[in-house]
Amino acid sequence: MDFPREEGSNAGQKSMASELKLFGASSLVDQLDKQVVVCLRDGRNIVGCLRSFDQFANIVLEDAVERIVVAETFGDVPQGIFVIRGENVMILGEIDPSKESLITQRLQQVSADEIKRALQAQKEDKKAFQRKEKLEWPIQEDF
Amino acid sequence: MLFFSFFKTLINKEIEVELKNSLTIKGTLQSIDQFMNLKLENVSVADVENYPHLLSVKSCFVRASVVRYVHLIHADVDTELLQDATRREYKELKTRSG
């Protein structure tokens, strides 16, 4: 498939070309078609096949899954095609298939439903802990 | 463009990048662009306990906007040269703006 390109004057094309050349320095072309893990600013991790990117690091991932880690377990929640706005990207790491075993050695893989439940339980634990802290130290409320 | 040129001299050197969420990544600088987006090779994450899912990453792209610090090895940096380059850049800027 060929996407239509914006028509521009010669000068415009030239500056575009030099821009591309500059961006080429850290271009993600090498990562296209590879499995990548993208860490987002909100702490989420998305794993998928890199299909597209641009100079803002806007990213399209195919067959994306959200990889959730809770304590000693991890699980993948399917998300389909994922388009990520560049500003939310922290790091984009290319996954080395030969190193994937390092994760499964350390963590136990569980199903999507299970990991969602585990995450929910962890959140509630945290909330309960905060409530408890508030009860034990009510004086802090006055400050 | 001074910092861009400066970082270009550090390509293939070992650097340590600290992100705004305090995650520290060590690796060999592979490339840099004008926004100072970084690409690192042979990546290792300091805090593996909290980021076990990054164990399988071999090379990574770090978006410039999330970088807090870059730690360099002193031997890799010629501070005198950098200082001279800064003076030169400033001079050029002044002559250009008139």
Side-chain angles (χ1 to χ4, degrees):
Chain A
M1 184 166 53
D2 206 15
F3 284 101
R5 295 191 166 275
E6 260 181 60
E7 301 277 327
S9 67
N10 254 348
Q13 274 170 5
K14 216 178 193 177
S15 76
M16 187 74 173
S18 62
E19 226 172 77
L20 279 175
K21 212 164 136 198
L22 276 170
F23 180 69
S26 265
S27 146
L28 293 169
V29 170
D30 304 336
Q31 272 73 38
L32 278 178
D33 200 29
K34 301 254 168 62
Q35 279 296 110
V36 295
V37 51
V38 182
C39 301
L40 304 182
R41 274 196 317 182
D42 61 2
R44 283 201 271 185
N45 300 287
I46 315 289
V47 180
C49 185
L50 185 66
R51 289 299 180 204
S52 180
F53 68 90
D54 67 4
Q55 73 268 38
F56 307 110
N58 293 322
I59 283 167
V60 179
L61 296 177
E62 195 180 8
D63 300 326
V65 293
E66 181 181 348
R67 186 159 285 177
I68 302 173
V69 181
V70 178
E72 303 292 288
T73 57
F74 81 98
D76 292 340
V77 183
Q79 303 278 12
I81 286 216
F82 222 74
V83 182
I84 304 168
R85 189 175 155 87
E87 62 180 338
N88 300 302
V89 174
M90 278 205 325
I91 58 183
L92 181 145
E94 184 181 336
I95 289 178
D96 187 347
S98 65
K99 282 189 180 172
E100 283 247 66
S101 62
L102 286 176
I103 296 180
T104 45
Q105 267 169 28
R106 201 174 260 264
L107 306 174
Q108 189 202 347
Q109 182 158 15
V110 297
S111 71
D113 286 333
E114 239 166 286
I115 201 69
K116 273 192 223 163
R117 270 201 299 277
L119 189 67
Q120 195 60 36
Q122 193 191 40
K123 272 185 193 158
E124 266 153 29
D125 264 7
K126 247 183 216 163
K127 263 191 210 153
F129 182 71
Q130 278 165 354
R131 269 202 299 273
K132 194 167 161 251
E133 254 189 350
K134 258 188 192 168
L135 282 172
E136 280 173 11
W137 303 95
I139 198 159
Q140 284 192 345
E141 297 274 298
D142 298 340
F143 282 101
Chain B
M1 285 307 253
L2 178 66
F3 272 75
F4 178 43
S5 316
F6 171 51
F7 270 103
K8 273 203 285 193
T9 67
L10 293 168
I11 283 176
N12 290 327
K13 300 266 164 56
E14 188 85 1
I15 65 169
E16 205 177 299
V17 183
E18 185 181 325
L19 307 187
K20 286 180 184 168
N21 68 349
S22 300
L23 169 64
T24 306
I25 308 170
K26 232 189 220 173
T28 312
L29 185 63
Q30 187 190 352
S31 67
I32 175 96
D33 65 16
Q34 80 271 36
F35 307 118
M36 285 205 271
N37 292 324
L38 307 164
K39 271 183 106 175
L40 302 176
E41 263 182 339
N42 301 322
V43 179
S44 64
V45 174
D47 187 10
V48 178
E49 293 299 314
N50 287 321
Y51 299 90
H53 51 275
L54 292 180
L55 274 169
S56 64
V57 173
K58 58 174 172 184
S59 72
C60 83
F61 166 87
V62 183
R63 197 175 137 100
S65 60
V66 302
V67 175
R68 188 186 284 148
Y69 305 121
V70 179
H71 301 278
L72 308 169
I73 300 166
H74 194 275
D76 293 338
V77 187
D78 188 342
T79 42
E80 244 171 74
L81 197 70
L82 188 62
Q83 195 175 312
D84 290 344
T86 312
R87 287 228 170 78
R88 238 179 292 129
E89 178 107 343
Y90 178 69
K91 231 188 232 167
E92 254 175 53
L93 211 71
K94 237 169 74 176
T95 51
R96 225 184 297 154
S97 62

